[in-house]
Amino acid sequence: MPTVDGPAGLADPLTDPLEALRALKEQAGSGPDPEATRRQHAKGKLTAHERIGLLLDKGSFTEVEPLRRHRASGFGLEAKRPHGDGVVTGFGTVEGRTVFVYAADFRVFGGALGEAHAQKIHKLMDMAIAAGAPLVSLNDGAGARIQEGVSALAGYGGIFRRHTKASGVIPQISVMLGPCAGGAAYAPALTDFVFVVRDISQMFITGPDVVRAVTGEDVSMDELGGAQVHGEVSGVAHFVCDAEEDCLAEVRLLLSMLPANNRDLPPAVPRPDLTQERAEALAQLVPRDGNRAYDVGEVIAEIVDDGDYLEVHASWAANLVCALARLDGHVVGIVANQPSVFAGVLDIRASEKGARFVQFCDAFNISLLTLVDVPGFLPGVGQEHEGIIRRGAKLLYAYCNATVPRISVVLRKAYGGAYIVMDSRSIGADVALAWPGNEIAVMGAEAAADVIFRREIAASDDPGATRERKVAQYREELVHPYYAAERGLVDDVIDPRDTRTVLIRCFAMLHSKHADLPRRKHGNPPQ
């Protein structure tokens, strides 16, 4: 009987087709050779299939195109045609909900992207968009496959285009699990969230060798684009984890709080009726003295279910906290000034951080809760020259454009333009609340008195005493806790201990909110 050529060592598909299929898929899944797997593990890294196994529910993964091989020739490629072509693609479930995933296999061509590799990803991305389900990429590759030239670059173009098409339609999450350069770093920048792992993840457009050759700077891969750099300095990474296992568990947690697509609501968790419970600690957490710092994270923990919240960009622009949590079982996005870092001022980084988070929540039907304690925008030549006007306006634009339910609570002080930007009633908050002791004003009483009564203070016999009287006068007339409530700028001044109860009732009231924006192709946000 004639035979059919196939991979070496496999059964003849004509005499034993089922055994041949089993052996072929086993070989495709195990990688090019055991030594490649050992090298991957020696670096403290998992294989593509091991990573997918941790991400998805056990036994739920269905692989797509596991037998795909490249058709390139030249530079020895025709002699190396492994099945899968260096990327594992498919779908499965996380807590029973469908998720699409692709994982670069560093054991094959160093995870570099070639034409067939890219086409597998293109197909999976198209499937995710059509199915309306989240997409997770597990990245561990050195960029374009140089031996395939421009075909590899075109493959990245197709990925970029699909990420942009899917933006705001399905959640997109990138997990960086190795050295990722060029297009492998640009693609994640187009997604909603980027995870990195200490001592494993690196992201850069040009690597240390190119930097050294062009600029003369001598820098390591971690110093150029490691997890700490992108988590604390550049802001590229939203979550920084200590190990792959922890990272993938965190991705599962994030997915559990997100809707499948922009037409769904985030998954709710049934809870007993706790709307009457009081958070007694809230009466003591915020100091009355506006100059004293405190951790707004403690306030958030007292308000949300079980004290649990998932903070985004925890180490970057830490003067603003952005987090996902549940309130009475329903997911909310929280934006809060952090008085323990730069007194909670808004600056360029905080504004950009908050703007993107607000836009994400609005795109995926996640209600917004804003906790306000802001002394203003950060003054300084550096901020002005770096564009605080246009870059700070990003947060303002994001809030004004958001149509999801929006509630703001002034915890203590809210001064100047920063008060307006932090989802005040005047820019569209559905419900605006304040705690007693709040100071909502153009500026603090001391600064205001110095401006308004400057001449009177200077001409008095006792400038110090006169200034104290004028400060007290300004505070009594314009900065007292009920001035804004008397003018309808806040809907109510509430007992801090009742905050959770009031928020639950207000968000329940807003559950069916519907708001239409003017018909347009898209807006033109400040850049």
Side-chain angles (χ1 to χ4, degrees), residues 85-86 104-114 117 140-143 145 156:
D85 201 53
D105 190 342
F106 194 82
R107 300 171 303 170
V108 179
F109 299 123
L113 180 138
H117 182 126
D140 187 6
R145 194 175 300 168
Y156 270 124

Side-chain angles (χ1 to χ4, degrees), residues 181-194:
Y186 256 133
L190 294 170
T191 62
D192 299 306
F193 297 104
V194 176

Side-chain angles (χ1 to χ4, degrees), residues 191-214:
T191 62
D192 299 306
F193 297 104
V194 176
F195 286 75
V196 293
V197 179
R198 300 185 197 278
D199 303 321
I200 289 178
S201 306
Q202 293 103 25
M203 299 173 67
F204 33 71
I205 300 303
T206 53
D209 292 341
V210 176
V211 171
R212 190 177 302 111
V214 174

Side-chain angles (χ1 to χ4, degrees), residues 38-108:
R38 281 193 292 271
R39 288 195 299 269
Q40 184 81 347
H41 287 162
K43 298 174 185 175
K45 297 165 63 177
L46 302 174
T47 67
H49 281 97
E50 289 169 343
R51 290 163 173 167
I52 291 173
L54 289 174
L55 173 67
L56 300 178
D57 297 336
K58 186 176 181 180
S60 70
F61 183 56
T62 297
E63 191 167 352
V64 175
E65 292 197 344
L67 304 181
R68 185 72 176 262
R69 296 200 291 180
H70 73 76
R71 296 174 292 180
S73 61
F75 305 101
L77 284 178
E78 63 276 5
K80 295 178 63 177
R81 300 181 62 228
H83 289 94
D85 201 53
V87 64
V88 180
T89 58
F91 57 90
T93 60
V94 171
E95 296 190 2
R97 302 164 66 229
T98 298
V99 172
F100 288 79
V101 59
Y102 68 86
D105 190 342
F106 194 82
R107 300 171 303 170
V108 179

Side-chain angles (χ1 to χ4, degrees), residues 364-388:
F364 290 103
N365 308 310
I366 299 173
S367 299
L368 286 164
L369 168 62
T370 304
L371 303 178
V372 186
D373 191 346
V374 61
F377 281 95
L378 180 65
V381 174
Q383 289 285 303
E384 297 293 349
H385 286 188
E386 291 175 22
I388 184 65

Side-chain angles (χ1 to χ4, degrees), residues 423-452:
D423 205 20
S424 63
R425 189 60 187 266
S426 61
I427 66 169
D430 297 294
V431 178
L433 304 169
W435 285 2
N438 74 80
E439 294 184 1
I440 302 175
V442 175
M443 61 181 68
E446 291 82 1
D450 288 341
V451 173
I452 299 172

